[in-house]
Amino acid sequence: MRLVIDTNVLLSALISSTSPSAQILALWRTRKFELLTSAEQIDEIARVTRYPRIRARLAPPLAGRLVNRLRDVAIVVEKLPKVDRSLDPDDNYLPLPTLWHSNAAGIGFPQKSC
């Protein structure tokens, strides 16, 4: 199975090791599914984890390990078409078009109805 996971879900997993988000991340770490991401999402995680309010709740090494693992293990989807499907326009860069053309699923994305 392939999943696309919203950045907020990934960050929540790092902040709380007992959260449902952390359970999802643990499943990926044990290769229960393949994670689809994009360079833009990896950059967003690296940027957001430097915000003071996030740093106060998250150890920088955890964020760095997640970024490195995403680069090394996740499927980084490139050449994504421009879309306007997410209710949050800042999420339109995520590899969601892959979901509509494969057997992948998304976690944490409210989408516009077609």
Side-chain angles (χ1 to χ4, degrees), residues 57-78:
R57 301 181 68 198
L58 174 66
L62 283 177
R65 280 197 294 271
L66 175 61
V67 167
N68 291 337
R69 189 156 176 97
L70 288 170
R71 286 186 179 130
D72 295 342
V73 180
I75 298 169
V76 180
V77 180
E78 298 175 359

Side-chain angles (χ1 to χ4, degrees), residues 14-25:
L14 297 181
I15 290 170
S16 173
S17 63
T18 59
S19 67
S21 297
Q23 294 171 9
I24 292 167
L25 198 59

Side-chain angles (χ1 to χ4, degrees), residues 5-8 10-11 14 35 37-51 54 58 62-64 66-67 70 93:
I5 301 177
D6 185 76
T7 301
N8 290 325
L10 294 172
L11 294 177
L14 297 181
L35 180 62
T37 189
S38 65
E40 293 87 352
Q41 183 179 32
I42 294 170
D43 292 345
E44 178 184 29
I45 292 167
R47 184 184 73 252
V48 168
T49 55
R50 291 183 184 108
Y51 294 169
I54 300 295
L58 174 66
L62 283 177
L66 175 61
V67 167
L70 288 170
Y93 69 85

Side-chain angles (χ1 to χ4, degrees), residues 27-40:
L27 290 171
W28 172 60
R29 286 182 178 135
T30 58
R31 308 219 184 214
K32 302 294 186 211
F33 63 87
E34 294 179 299
L35 180 62
L36 302 176
T37 189
S38 65
E40 293 87 352

Side-chain angles (χ1 to χ4, degrees), residues 2 11 39 44 72 87 90 106 108-109 113:
R2 291 180 169 182
L11 294 177
E44 178 184 29
D72 295 342
L87 291 177
D90 291 334
F109 305 101
S113 52

